[in-house]
Amino acid sequence: MPAVLTAFADSPDRGRALARDFRVRWALEELGQTCDVRLVGFPELKTPVYRALQPFGQIPAWQEDGLDLFESGAIVLHLAQQYPGLLPDDRAGHARATAWLFAALDTVEPPIWDWDLARMVERHQPWHAERQPMLEARIHTRLQELSQWLGSKDWLEGTFSLGDLMMVTVLRRLNGSRLLDKHAPLARYVARGEARPAFVRAYEAQKAVFDASTVMMTGKGPAK
Amino acid sequence: MPAVLTAFADSPDRGRALARDFRVRWALEELGQTCDVRLVGFPELKTPVYRALQPFGQIPAWQEDGLDLFESGAIVLHLAQQYPGLLPDDRAGHARATAWLFAALDTVEPPIWDWDLARMVERHQPWHAERQPMLEARIHTRLQELSQWLGSKDWLEGTFSLGDLMMVTVLRRLNGSRLLDKHAPLARYVARGEARPAFVRAYEAQKAVFDASTVMMTGKGPAK
């Protein structure tokens, strides 16, 4: 029985591969693995049946023989531990790559997410503009530190790993804003990630889902 | 050579075991392992030497023979993979416990941290009071979902794991607020974690560090 990944039927990111199921799609492509994709709409995320699989009603969830799994970080780590390609074999290299996985999710993503969440839910509040410099300063601090570490390396530990995969997905949320522009080495780092063949294949797959959902809802093709 | 954990010389949590090095201390006690503790002050966190060990200038960092590691999630996971006690042996149990580690850090902690951060840095801003209900609502949503999952179980997957260890440290940030009171099963879950002998030993060890720092700085003993 093939493994099953749940993904948004109609992603709020409008096909830009910012939804967290994309992390799993990309990891699978890097690892040369496939899965079935089950598309779910927002109402289904609230159901007891889905909550038994994903206690917080989020995507993605992952189902394979004998195991239901949730949290994009946990799913990507689990896959990288099963198949070669995203984790070095040696104990220290394995641990270092995993440290970057956690750094992406727990140190770099929070200020980026807070800034994006404020744009989504507080943009019409009177304080929104005044809070922006503080939210942006937190992001710049992390980007400066990350850029300092990266230096002239292609990847965080020299060789591409699941830490880079996660970090690139986290930084991509800044695409289209001017926040990444001030950190040119990181913009190039993101571009290197996006140029990987596995990224491109995963991107096209999720884009096809979004485009199909647009066709279904409007009867028209996606916007050019 | 014994492993070395870096911890705050003078923790801003005032000995309440909310600093992230506590997670590693507790894990070590659960695993029956010891380490040396190196205390660092805030100025040292900014130095290039420390940044080479911890790129974001945070605590904790972890140094063992042939490996420097950072991010509390990565350190706890690394330790749990080396020594028995915090991860089930079977593949599925291992993955499920790890999912809860990520859920604690990436789904439950962010709204709790945002609320605490707002108290720390925005409490004198004119919008602080008005944003509170939104910040608290995000926390309650996650606590409700977590409580629903926990049900009448003692631990998230039945048996105590590193997922519970991390979740309890995340929820403890709400101790002393009224936010946890509305979710009695979770308050009892936290109390069960705090009653574990390994927790108590780790708590006393970090408290002794804070008390000693208080003596050094004031010449007096800690407040009773």
Side-chain angles (χ1 to χ4, degrees), chain B residues 89-215:
Chain B
D89 284 334
D90 63 300
R91 195 183 66 108
H94 181 115
R96 293 285 304 179
T98 309
W100 284 109
L101 172 69
F102 282 95
L105 292 169
D106 302 334
T107 293
V108 179
E109 185 166 48
I112 294 175
W113 176 250
D114 283 351
W115 165 83
D116 210 24
L117 188 63
R119 293 205 302 180
M120 288 187 274
V121 304
E122 296 183 76
R123 66 184 310 154
H124 300 301
Q125 298 292 352
W127 57 75
H128 182 63
E130 208 174 333
R131 290 186 77 241
Q132 279 301 110
M134 177 190 68
L135 294 172
E136 295 189 4
R138 283 184 202 156
I139 294 172
H140 282 303
T141 297
R142 292 310 182 208
L143 297 188
Q144 180 59 41
E145 292 162 336
L146 185 63
S147 187
Q148 187 79 27
W149 173 270
L150 186 63
S152 60
K153 298 192 286 293
D154 273 358
W155 307 110
L156 293 165
E157 294 286 316
T159 305
F160 185 80
S161 81
L162 86 177
D164 295 294
L165 183 148
M166 194 59 81
M167 192 66 82
V168 168
T169 69
V170 163
L171 295 176
R172 286 190 71 248
R173 194 169 284 277
L174 299 175
N175 280 354
S177 80
R178 57 194 157 66
L179 287 160
L180 209 51
D181 299 346
K182 292 186 186 165
H183 306 272
L186 293 184
R188 290 194 294 271
Y189 170 71
V190 171
R192 273 194 295 281
E194 293 175 339
R196 292 178 69 85
F199 179 99
V200 174
R201 289 193 299 271
Y203 187 93
E204 294 301 330
Q206 64 81 38
K207 184 71 163 53
V209 168
F210 180 76
D211 290 347
S213 78
T214 311
V215 174

Side-chain angles (χ1 to χ4, degrees), chain A residues 34 96 102 172:
Chain A
T34 59
R96 293 286 305 178
F102 282 94
R172 286 189 71 247

Side-chain angles (χ1 to χ4, degrees), chain A residues 13-20 22-23 26 108-109 112 115-116 119 143 146 164-177 179-180 186-187 189-195 199-200 202-204 206-207:
Chain A
D13 73 357
R14 306 192 58 77
R16 291 180 297 146
L18 297 178
R20 286 171 173 81
F22 178 72
R23 297 161 170 181
W26 185 9
V108 180
E109 184 166 49
I112 295 176
W115 164 84
D116 210 25
R119 293 206 303 182
L143 297 188
L146 186 63
D164 295 293
L165 182 148
M166 194 58 81
M167 192 67 83
V168 168
T169 68
V170 162
L171 296 175
R172 286 189 71 247
R173 192 169 285 278
L174 299 175
N175 280 354
S177 79
L179 287 161
L180 208 52
L186 293 184
Y189 170 71
V190 170
R192 273 195 295 281
E194 292 176 339
F199 179 100
V200 174
Y203 187 93
E204 294 302 330
Q206 64 83 38
K207 184 71 163 54

Side-chain angles (χ1 to χ4, degrees), chain A residues 7 26 33 44 81 89 101 129 134 139 149 161 169 186 193 196 204 222:
Chain A
W26 185 9
Q33 302 297 317
E44 182 176 347
Q81 287 171 338
D89 283 336
L101 171 69
M134 177 190 68
I139 294 173
W149 174 268
S161 80
T169 68
L186 293 184
R196 292 178 69 85
E204 294 302 330

Side-chain angles (χ1 to χ4, degrees), chain A residues 13-58:
Chain A
D13 73 357
R14 306 192 58 77
R16 291 180 297 146
L18 297 178
R20 286 171 173 81
D21 58 78
F22 178 72
R23 297 161 170 181
V24 182
R25 287 179 181 273
W26 185 9
L28 287 166
E29 291 287 352
E30 293 282 353
L31 297 168
Q33 302 297 317
T34 59
C35 70
D36 285 349
V37 177
R38 188 165 75 84
L39 302 177
V40 297
F42 278 98
E44 182 176 347
L45 298 180
K46 308 279 186 200
T47 62
V49 170
Y50 191 76
R51 295 291 173 120
L53 176 61
Q54 214 301 354
F56 303 99
Q58 301 168 311

Side-chain angles (χ1 to χ4, degrees), chain A residues 51-53 55-58 64-71 73-74 77-78 81-82 91-92 94-96 98-103 105-108 114 117 121-122 125 127 130-131 134 138 142 145-146 149 167, chain B residues 51-53 55-58 64-71 73-74 77-78 81-82 91-92 94-96 98-103 105-108 114 117 121-122 125 127 130-131 134 138 142 145-146 149 167:
Chain A
R51 295 291 173 120
L53 176 61
F56 303 99
Q58 301 168 311
E64 62 179 43
D65 209 15
L67 174 63
D68 291 349
L69 205 51
F70 59 101
E71 288 287 333
L77 179 60
H78 171 73
Q81 287 171 338
Q82 312 291 310
R91 195 183 65 107
H94 181 115
R96 293 286 305 178
T98 309
W100 285 110
L101 171 69
F102 282 94
L105 292 169
D106 302 334
T107 293
V108 180
D114 282 352
L117 187 63
V121 304
E122 296 184 74
Q125 297 292 351
W127 56 75
E130 209 174 333
R131 291 185 79 241
M134 177 190 68
R138 283 183 202 157
R142 293 311 182 206
E145 292 162 337
L146 186 63
W149 174 268
M167 192 67 83
Chain B
R51 295 290 172 122
L53 176 61
F56 303 98
Q58 301 168 313
E64 62 178 45
D65 209 15
L67 172 63
D68 290 348
L69 204 51
F70 60 101
E71 287 287 333
L77 179 61
H78 170 72
Q81 287 172 339
Q82 313 290 311
R91 195 183 66 108
H94 181 115
R96 293 285 304 179
T98 309
W100 284 109
L101 172 69
F102 282 95
L105 292 169
D106 302 334
T107 293
V108 179
D114 283 351
L117 188 63
V121 304
E122 296 183 76
Q125 298 292 352
W127 57 75
E130 208 174 333
R131 290 186 77 241
M134 177 190 68
R138 283 184 202 156
R142 292 310 182 208
E145 292 162 336
L146 185 63
W149 173 270
M167 192 66 82

